[in-house]
Amino acid sequence: MSMEVLFGAYFLWNSYVFIAMGRDKRRAKLNRWRISESSLLLMGAALGGVGLYAGMKYFHHKTKHAKFRIGSPLLILFNLLVVTLFYYIGWYRIM
C-alpha cells in the first residue's frame, strides 16, 4: 500500500471526524441523541486529531471544555508522531 493511499485514508477519516463534530453540534441544538465526548476524543486519538480540532473551531463546538481545548492539539501532535513512525519504520510497505 502506498503512502498516497494512506494519506488519502487519513484525509477521509479526518473529514468524517469533522462531520461528526458538526452533527453533534446540530443534535445539541435540537436536544437530540448526542455523540459522547469519549467517542469524539477516541476518534481524534485514532488519527482524527486534525478533523476534531477543525470541527471544534469551525462549528464552535466543545470550545469551553478543557479536555477538547487542550486535548485536540495534543492529539494532533500524537497523530503526527504516529504517522511519522509509520513512515520511518516503513510499515506502509507491509500493508
Side-chain angles (χ1 to χ4, degrees), residues 22-40:
R23 289 185 69 198
D24 190 53
K25 174 70 174 196
R26 179 165 171 76
R27 288 172 181 246
K29 286 183 175 182
L30 298 173
N31 285 328
R32 298 174 95 186
W33 174 84
R34 308 262 313 273
I35 301 170
S36 68
E37 289 183 353
S38 60
S39 293
L40 290 171

Side-chain angles (χ1 to χ4, degrees), residues 1 6 85-95:
M1 187 179 301
L6 288 177
L85 182 69
F86 283 166
Y87 180 76
Y88 282 111
I89 289 180
W91 288 354
Y92 66 91
R93 293 181 192 154
I94 296 170
M95 294 180 181

